[in-house]
Amino acid sequence: MKTEIFKVDEGSLEILSRAAELIKNGELVAIPTETVYGLGANALDKDACLSIFSAKGRPSDNPLIVHVAKPEDAEKISFTCPLYYKLAEKFMPGPLTIILPKREIVPKEATGGLDTVAIRCPSHLVARRLIELSGLPIAAPSANSSGKPSPTTAKHVLDDMDGKIPMILDGGECEVGVESTVISITDNSITLLRPGKVTIEELKNVCENTQIAGAVKEELKEGETPLSPGMKYKHYAPRAELYLIDDKYIDFVAFTKQKQKTEKCAVMCYDEEISQLENKNLLPVGKKEDIKMQTHNLFILLRKADDLGVDTVYAHLPADEGESLAIYNRMIRACAHRVLGGRNGKG
Ligand code: AMP
Ligand code: MG
């Protein structure tokens, strides 16, 4: 199959109408969103959902997120509750996914066999336009091959999906850079299943009774069933071995400078450290305090590390709170919990 790629904005009606036709015909279209690129298909068409799994090589029990144009559109596919609308008022459209009991109309193929469905209302205008034009809820997991870092540019999508899907909509770099915050809710409680731009602190402002699921910060214990199937899969991994350095216990610059002499390695350093390191395979993540930029750059740099063909990658162990929790959660999976020094130290 030939994969066509088109530069678009929300005004590109002709291309977006073609994309909507493809979705209505059960085909796959890669879509820019504010978080990462999604691999979209008609969420109500079980065969279209199955095509997503085969294009990604995704395990069939890992459910898809269903995207709607307006928070109220969740009514057609799920059973909402007052807390859903309280959260929607604050965070939708935007990078928050809420898990609700599903209606019959949603095929089990979309939900990995679960009785719940993950709902998200993206703020990206291209994504919204496409959902409106198709008149359908669009199931869209990240548009990467399963296990690889999520795509935040159309080029990333092409690298993974060339020949597998008919169309990629190129809306430029994704603003946020990591996937949405995923939560499950009851009438009066929230459980955070995957951290993202919407933080636990922000959720607590809407509902005091908010917890973090254990697997967000730690490895699943042997035999433990995760609250969210995605928690159990290896994720975001670059081909090189990634090590995280707890810089409270190890001098990051001294340590990585030494490694640069003896290993074919890349270093994900802060901008402030560039001048102290050898100018070889450096992947600056942003300024030390600039968590937004570090989040935006995360998957771009993990993919760059692969392009460099290095054997190892060294990075700072991110803080596990606030907006940095999203980076921590991705990095700890990407490194298969290889942390050097102090906190969580295994090295
Ligand atoms: P992706 O869209 O590839 O970023 O992955 C979607 C994430 O949302 C996965 O980690 C899933 O496990 C999670 N998810 C989607 N639907 C559900 C659901 N019904 N229950 C729990 N987790 C879900
Ligand atoms: Mg994904």
Side-chain angles (χ1 to χ4, degrees):
M1 176 185 302
K2 185 166 159 26
T3 303
E4 288 192 287
I5 179 160
F6 297 98
K7 281 214 179 334
V8 286
D9 60 27
E10 68 277 18
S12 314
L13 259 193
E14 197 195 317
I15 304 290
L16 292 181
S17 303
R18 270 176 66 188
E21 283 309 308
L22 286 171
I23 297 279
K24 284 194 249 181
N25 288 334
E27 309 237 29
L28 306 185
V29 177
I31 311 164
T33 82
E34 69 277 21
T35 56
V36 301
Y37 274 77
L39 187 58
N42 177 0
L44 306 181
D45 175 343
K46 68 175 173 15
D47 293 323
C49 293
L50 288 174
S51 317
I52 294 180
F53 286 91
S54 62
K56 278 179 65 80
R58 184 177 175 103
S60 63
D61 68 344
N62 195 1
L64 308 174
I65 292 176
V66 178
H67 295 69
V68 294
K70 308 188 289 301
E72 313 79 277
D73 292 345
E75 294 297 343
K76 298 175 197 152
I77 53 176
S78 66
F79 296 95
T80 63
C81 60
L83 182 54
Y84 169 79
Y85 282 105
K86 253 173 105 175
L87 289 161
E89 198 175 308
K90 193 103 206 211
F91 302 112
M92 288 184 185
L96 179 68
T97 296
I98 302 181
I99 295 172
L100 294 170
K102 80 171 193 72
R103 288 190 191 268
E104 197 66 42
I105 189 171
V106 181
K108 291 253 174 165
E109 285 74 7
T111 65
L114 299 173
D115 294 326
T116 49
V117 59
I119 310 267
R120 176 160 124 71
C121 175
S123 63
H124 197 292
L125 295 175
V126 169
R128 296 257 298 282
R129 213 57 233 279
L130 179 64
I131 302 167
E132 284 163 6
L133 287 170
S134 70
L136 291 163
I138 295 186
S142 49
N144 52 294
S145 301
S146 199
K148 292 239 314 208
S150 294
T152 55
T153 67
K155 162 81 170 51
H156 292 163
V157 179
L158 190 67
D159 287 345
D160 287 12
M161 293 296 150
D162 197 10
K164 295 184 180 163
I165 62 173
M167 191 188 275
I168 299 172
L169 299 175
D170 180 354
E173 276 188 19
C174 299
E175 188 192 332
V176 176
V178 294
E179 309 86 340
S180 58
T181 302
V182 178
I183 59 174
S184 64
I185 61 175
T186 66
D187 286 346
N188 58 7
S189 74
I190 297 177
T191 304
L192 178 77
L193 304 178
R194 179 175 76 186
K197 172 132 196 306
V198 174
T199 63
I200 188 104
E201 293 78 9
E202 288 177 297
L203 294 167
K204 274 189 177 157
N205 285 336
V206 178
C207 174
E208 185 54 41
N209 189 5
T210 296
Q211 309 45 256
I212 307 184
V216 167
K217 289 195 183 183
E218 281 133 38
E219 284 173 274
L220 278 178
K221 296 180 189 66
E222 185 103 5
E224 188 182 352
T225 308
L227 293 172
S228 180
M231 288 169 165
K232 68 175 184 270
Y233 296 110
K234 190 174 173 213
H235 257 95
Y236 319 115
R239 279 189 292 271
E241 278 192 1
L242 172 67
Y243 290 89
L244 301 182
I245 296 171
D246 190 339
D247 55 23
K248 284 199 188 72
Y249 299 88
I250 292 176
D251 180 331
F252 185 86
V253 169
F255 182 88
T256 52
K257 208 169 169 170
Q258 188 56 35
K259 290 289 181 193
Q260 285 186 308
K261 291 195 182 113
T262 55
E263 286 177 17
K264 205 173 163 203
C265 66
V267 181
M268 294 174 70
C269 61
Y270 297 133
D271 290 356
E272 295 88 332
E273 294 165 334
I274 296 173
S275 62
Q276 303 167 64
L277 289 161
E278 211 184 307
N279 187 13
K280 201 176 71 188
N281 296 334
L282 292 185
L283 300 170
V285 297
K287 292 215 170 70
K288 184 167 188 223
E289 303 301 331
D290 192 350
I291 303 297
K292 238 182 210 46
M293 183 56 78
Q294 292 171 31
T295 310
H296 175 86
N297 286 335
L298 179 67
F299 290 136
I300 296 176
L301 296 180
L302 288 178
R303 281 184 180 251
K304 267 201 187 139
D306 275 344
D307 296 341
L308 291 173
V310 293
D311 301 324
T312 45
V313 181
Y314 294 96
H316 288 272
L317 175 67
D320 59 355
E321 58 194 19
E323 284 195 35
S324 181
L325 180 61
I327 308 181
Y328 176 87
N329 170 265
R330 297 344 182 253
M331 287 294 262
I332 209 82
R333 280 146 196 263
C335 79
H337 294 261
R338 276 187 295 259
V339 180
L340 304 179
R343 179 158 58 101
N344 304 343
K346 282 190 176 171

